[in-house]
Amino acid sequence: MATVTQTIDYETAALAADHFNVEAVSEEASLEAGAQRHPLLDLSKEDPASLVPRPPVVVVMGHVDHGKTSLLDAIRATKVADSEAGGITQRIGAYQVEKNHRLITFIDTPGHEAFTAMRARGAVVTDVAVLVVAADDGVMPQTEEAIQHARSAGVPILVAINKIDKPGANVDKVLAQLAEYELLSDQYGGNTTMVRTSAKSGEGIAELLEMILLVSDIQEPRANPNRLAVGTVIDSHLERGRGPIATLLVQNGTLHVGDNIVVGGTFGKVRALIDDMGKKVKEAVPSMPVVVTGLSDVVEAGALAQVVATEREARSIAELFSRQKAERLSYPSRRLTLEELAARAKEGEPKSFTLILKADAQGTIEAVKGQIQKLQNDEVNIKFVAEGVGAITESDVNLAAASQAIIIGFNVRYDDRVKQLADEEGVDVRLYDVVYRVTEDLEKAIKGLREPVFHDVEIGRAEVRKIYVFDGKNSIAGANVQDGKITRQSTIVVLRKEQEIARSGIKQLKRFKDDVREVAKGYDCGVSLDAFDQFEEGDVLVAYIREQEE
Ligand code: GDP
């Protein structure tokens, strides 16, 4: 006997399902079968008569600096030029443009890494991949990667040979290089559509859009708009005044204001829907990206979003999800540091890392995680017990302590209280702001090497001249930089009569009303700190940065 909430193995589940005449397909099997679609997105279960064409969804990939962002911007600009109202496009993670009275959806995060991170979750949102190759640079390592990623996802590739306006452009050379990857231009008897573009002059953009429609017509993307919506989270973050918001790409069905929606362990009622022009809309049809408010929490990019009939159903699905996730975590008791892992690795013990990842934005999480996961192989197993947007909290430290995890903080800080708890619990917390440092440290630990040593280097000093009081606290120091500079990333030591009275990260660094990255010698600035606000006139702020010893 098993209880209702107990997890059972697949074989048992399949036998039980068979008994009830229900077909069970294991997650691995369904992925391997190339179905790659979540069961909720499997259109073969839909009545063919209910399916109507939907706009193709396009992702732009290619080597760094080959013009992915510029192309996305140039395409977006055609929309603004076309729209009579002259509205302003919003950066919500995806947008739609019209060509020949048909819509095309573009995912606004270029690159195959984000694409593959989403795919790794089972999310397949794209119908066409535009591979951007700069005509003056040719096929480069990430071009090759992009080709592999698109191919492994079974997404057709359309090539944009970009920067044709440049004097160094050599289209023939690019064509020859692409031929080595079996991408042969249809103009030369191959079957890959290639368009010459200039994101700078706009040449070829209209043709690119036309070709996207042609390529996608072969696949005939379809959906059933008359059912409860299913979609994928493209982006999600907290927004002041609006709470958690998520950009969803609706993939099947139609999403309405008032719908009961579940994403992982989070659910809510759709309060408002906002399109890529910042306009409130009542519903979102297939292939339409839309910002959703009303979810109770920030959700994961790449997660599946699902509308259900009742709030009760939404709650129970969300609870089941959370419970299953909790069950998957195991909580051995001893603490671990990267150094210990390195020592174990040296002794030839199996290398297994458990990590908690906190970062400043969902996109950063995907990027950092993707890089870390690249370190995995037969001998090294890397597991993430938690990940999230925002500062490192006490609950992160507790989870790390409970699950023998190391906390990786990327572009985030943690306050003194949390630091103290981490020290007490012996939890290893590592802060980074450059991706390769994270992977470098982990790699060293994997190889059993010594840890890098960091030390603080003073970069500047400022004197507090004026105090601005907010909510009864001396929260902002008006200071003048007298030596070197103060940067947003630095740690500030507050000196009063030459005694250190506080040490903290910077919460805000401002010149007049603007947030700035750094303030140089001779300038005034406003400084507020994460963990200190009792400034007095005459206090000296010393800025430090951490540097790695060679
Ligand atoms: P990404 O890294 O692939 O997103 O590349 P970007 O869009 O950031 O472009 C990299 C650089 O190339 C920028 O300085 C762009 O202004 C420039 N660039 C992009 N497309 C073109 C183009 O078609 N012609 C020229 N001359 N420059 C371009």
Side-chain angles (χ1 to χ4, degrees), residues 443-502:
E443 227 168 355
K444 280 187 181 156
I446 288 168
K447 290 184 185 142
L449 294 178
R450 193 178 71 98
E451 269 307 285
V453 177
F454 291 96
H455 56 154
D456 289 336
V457 184
E458 180 179 327
I459 56 164
R461 282 181 181 239
E463 193 189 50
V464 177
R465 300 229 165 126
K466 204 165 164 33
I467 316 292
Y468 298 92
V469 180
F470 270 100
D471 300 332
K473 292 180 187 144
N474 301 345
S475 32
I476 298 177
N480 178 269
V481 181
Q482 305 194 302
D483 216 338
K485 62 182 178 180
I486 293 190
T487 63
R488 181 73 182 70
Q489 252 71 40
S490 44
T491 299
I492 297 289
V493 169
V494 183
L495 298 180
R496 184 169 299 162
K497 301 198 180 81
E498 283 161 38
Q499 293 286 322
E500 173 175 337
I501 58 162

Side-chain angles (χ1 to χ4, degrees), residues 9 15 29 49 59 81 96 173 192 214 273 293 309 343 381 418 442 446 543:
D9 61 66
L15 282 174
V59 65
Q96 286 190 309
K173 189 170 150 209
T192 305
L214 266 182
L273 294 173
T293 65
N381 177 31
V418 179
L442 288 174
I446 288 168

Side-chain angles (χ1 to χ4, degrees), residues 399-451:
L399 178 59
S403 54
Q404 286 202 316
I406 290 162
I407 301 181
I408 307 268
F410 199 85
N411 279 337
V412 294
R413 319 176 152 271
Y414 62 137
D415 62 29
D416 287 345
R417 211 166 16 107
V418 179
K419 184 171 187 332
Q420 198 183 337
L421 181 66
D423 288 345
E424 280 166 21
E425 295 284 338
V427 168
D428 197 2
V429 181
R430 293 173 174 257
L431 300 181
Y432 298 92
D433 49 18
V434 192
V435 181
Y436 80 82
R437 286 260 160 84
V438 184
T439 47
E440 209 173 68
D441 279 7
L442 288 174
E443 227 168 355
K444 280 187 181 156
I446 288 168
K447 290 184 185 142
L449 294 178
R450 193 178 71 98
E451 269 307 285

Side-chain angles (χ1 to χ4, degrees), residues 202-503:
E203 196 183 334
I205 302 286
E207 193 192 344
L208 177 64
L209 296 179
E210 261 169 41
M211 290 304 150
I212 288 171
L213 288 172
L214 266 182
V215 169
S216 80
D217 277 347
I218 300 167
Q219 311 178 69
E220 297 189 296
R222 274 159 194 276
N224 171 10
N226 299 311
R227 50 157 288 155
L228 298 177
V230 185
T232 294
V233 177
I234 301 293
D235 186 55
S236 179
H237 58 271
L238 267 181
E239 206 165 280
R240 203 170 287 170
R242 282 209 281 194
I245 69 166
T247 299
L248 299 187
L249 180 72
V250 177
Q251 291 173 277
N252 202 14
T254 299
L255 180 64
H256 309 267
V257 171
D259 279 351
N260 294 298
I261 189 167
V262 200
V263 183
T266 305
F267 67 100
K269 221 178 200 22
V270 176
R271 208 183 309 138
L273 294 173
I274 299 142
D275 71 7
D276 56 359
M277 297 297 279
K279 252 190 12 236
K280 279 201 172 179
V281 290
K282 291 223 157 50
E283 56 176 41
V285 296
S287 293
M288 182 167 164
V290 71
V291 172
V292 175
T293 65
L295 280 167
S296 56
D297 211 343
V298 172
V299 289
E300 273 181 322
L304 190 90
Q306 178 190 357
V307 169
V308 292
T310 63
E311 189 176 336
R312 209 172 128 205
E313 199 178 335
R315 181 189 303 271
S316 83
I317 293 177
E319 277 169 5
L320 181 67
F321 182 92
S322 304
R323 200 163 47 224
Q324 286 180 342
K325 204 165 181 180
E327 268 172 19
R328 267 183 251 135
L329 305 177
S330 56
Y331 292 162
S333 63
R334 232 173 58 76
R335 320 281 179 260
L336 260 193
T337 62
L338 216 47
E339 285 83 355
E340 266 172 74
L341 280 168
R344 287 189 187 182
K346 212 173 204 160
E347 278 156 25
E349 281 190 44
K351 297 157 197 175
S352 172
F353 293 76
T354 305
L355 303 177
I356 290 176
L357 178 60
K358 296 299 290 270
D360 55 343
Q362 192 60 38
T364 322
I365 292 180
E366 312 303 341
V368 175
K369 200 172 164 185
Q371 291 299 319
I372 292 176
Q373 277 165 338
K374 280 191 193 153
L375 300 172
Q376 285 207 101
N377 57 38
D378 291 347
E379 288 166 19
V380 182
N381 177 31
I382 301 175
K383 198 165 79 182
F384 290 86
V385 277
E387 56 191 69
V389 176
I392 295 160
T393 61
E394 286 180 35
S395 100
D396 293 328
V397 172
N398 287 330
L399 178 59
S403 54
Q404 286 202 316
I406 290 162
I407 301 181
I408 307 268
F410 199 85
N411 279 337
V412 294
R413 319 176 152 271
Y414 62 137
D415 62 29
D416 287 345
R417 211 166 16 107
V418 179
K419 184 171 187 332
Q420 198 183 337
L421 181 66
D423 288 345
E424 280 166 21
E425 295 284 338
V427 168
D428 197 2
V429 181
R430 293 173 174 257
L431 300 181
Y432 298 92
D433 49 18
V434 192
V435 181
Y436 80 82
R437 286 260 160 84
V438 184
T439 47
E440 209 173 68
D441 279 7
L442 288 174
E443 227 168 355
K444 280 187 181 156
I446 288 168
K447 290 184 185 142
L449 294 178
R450 193 178 71 98
E451 269 307 285
V453 177
F454 291 96
H455 56 154
D456 289 336
V457 184
E458 180 179 327
I459 56 164
R461 282 181 181 239
E463 193 189 50
V464 177
R465 300 229 165 126
K466 204 165 164 33
I467 316 292
Y468 298 92
V469 180
F470 270 100
D471 300 332
K473 292 180 187 144
N474 301 345
S475 32
I476 298 177
N480 178 269
V481 181
Q482 305 194 302
D483 216 338
K485 62 182 178 180
I486 293 190
T487 63
R488 181 73 182 70
Q489 252 71 40
S490 44
T491 299
I492 297 289
V493 169
V494 183
L495 298 180
R496 184 169 299 162
K497 301 198 180 81
E498 283 161 38
Q499 293 286 322
E500 173 175 337
I501 58 162
R503 182 181 283 255

